[in-house]
Amino acid sequence: AQRVTQPEKLLSVFKGAPVELKCNYSYSGSPELFWYVQYSRQRLQLLLRHISRESIKGFTADLNKGETSFHLKKPFAQEEDSAMYYCALRGHSGNTPLVFGKGTRLSVIA
Amino acid sequence: DAGVTQSPTHLIKTRGQQVTLRCSPKSGHDTVSWYQQALGQGPQFIFQYYEEEERQRGNFPDRFSGHQFPNYSSELNVNALLLGDSALYLCASSPVAISGANVLTFGAGSRLTVL
């Protein structure tokens, strides 16, 4: 069964502190992994995906197949990073649907 | 480009009623997916439409049905509404891609409250 687990509902960090949002997954095969973000009063948008290996807004995420994890990291949190973050996966074949975790709310304290 | 547009933004219905939600995909996109996001949960996949046919379906009852029109816009219909159907309904569009590496673009959602 496909499953995405985000163990933390809420994560509060001080501005300038490192951030790590945890994501573990269950999938038989090699999935594509994504992080989506929803800022206050805005729509859900893609932050990054593992196949592109990009760093977006200072965030990075490495796929660890051994630990089936895709944790989102940023070395120095900014107030504008406060948002809801969703980890998601899908299979590689065609337009397979995204499976989302329940999300983690990141609150960056000034 | 307005991106993905959804209507209505908010609506209130009573148990047993029927509702229709509408979605216009982003320009250049021809595949539409619908997701249900209950309070405190991540989005859950309902179904996906491409070439006016339902291509994939999540674990939702037959009360949830949809349609895609020749201009790629789509409707989500829910019959015999239950209190548990109260949620934010998200529409997402994407272009068909051979590689499967396309990305979903989400609309702002339609918030349905069932009383």
Side-chain angles (χ1 to χ4, degrees):
Chain A
Q2 303 175 34
R3 188 168 58 246
V4 175
T5 302
Q6 294 179 251
E8 302 137 330
K9 276 191 173 181
L10 173 66
L11 181 64
S12 296
V13 300
F14 286 102
K15 179 182 174 181
V19 175
E20 182 178 67
L21 299 171
K22 291 184 167 52
C23 172
N24 289 91
Y25 67 89
S26 173
Y27 185 82
S28 55
S30 293
E32 289 185 66
L33 273 297
F34 304 81
W35 277 98
Y36 278 79
V37 61
Q38 188 167 30
Y39 300 103
S40 180
R41 302 182 193 282
Q42 294 187 30
R43 58 190 66 188
L44 199 59
Q45 59 186 284
L46 178 69
L47 180 62
L48 56 79
R49 48 182 170 164
H50 86 274
I51 60 171
S52 60
R53 294 182 173 274
E54 295 171 304
S55 172
I56 307 295
K57 300 186 178 183
F59 284 98
T60 59
D62 290 319
L63 179 59
N64 186 322
K65 293 184 179 181
E67 296 183 358
T68 59
S69 68
F70 188 58
H71 303 328
L72 183 68
K73 299 177 184 178
K74 184 170 182 177
F76 308 104
Q78 303 298 316
E79 289 180 75
E80 55 265 31
D81 296 329
S82 295
M84 198 71 190
Y85 291 80
Y86 295 95
C87 182
L89 71 76
R90 71 173 178 205
H92 273 287
S93 58
N95 277 315
T96 55
L98 282 174
V99 175
F100 286 87
K102 292 186 177 182
T104 297
R105 179 168 298 283
L106 174 65
S107 177
V108 180
I109 306 163
Chain B
D1 179 19
V4 178
T5 58
Q6 293 187 243
S7 64
T9 53
H10 296 84
L11 69 167
I12 300 173
K13 293 284 187 178
T14 56
R15 281 179 297 175
Q17 284 190 311
Q18 179 263 346
V19 68
T20 297
L21 308 178
R22 296 176 177 82
C23 171
S24 291
K26 181 177 178 179
S27 177
H29 288 187
D30 52 13
T31 301
V32 172
S33 301
W34 286 92
Y35 287 78
Q36 181 195 65
Q37 186 173 19
L39 198 61
Q41 304 291 317
Q44 271 198 292
F45 175 71
I46 304 175
F47 43 52
Q48 179 191 80
Y49 277 84
Y50 170 62
E51 291 186 332
E52 302 179 47
E53 288 189 20
E54 182 182 294
R55 298 292 177 170
Q56 299 187 70
R57 190 179 183 93
N59 189 25
F60 279 81
D62 292 345
R63 297 186 298 109
F64 289 76
S65 63
H67 190 79
Q68 186 179 34
F69 300 93
N71 66 353
Y72 309 123
S73 67
S74 176
E75 287 182 351
L76 164 65
N77 300 292
V78 187
N79 294 323
L81 285 167
L82 304 173
L83 296 179
D85 295 331
S86 294
L88 181 67
Y89 288 86
L90 297 170
C91 174
S93 70
S94 58
V96 173
I98 298 173
S99 69
N102 55 70
V103 172
L104 294 181
T105 300
F106 282 87
S110 293
R111 184 164 297 283
L112 170 65
T113 301
V114 182
L115 302 177

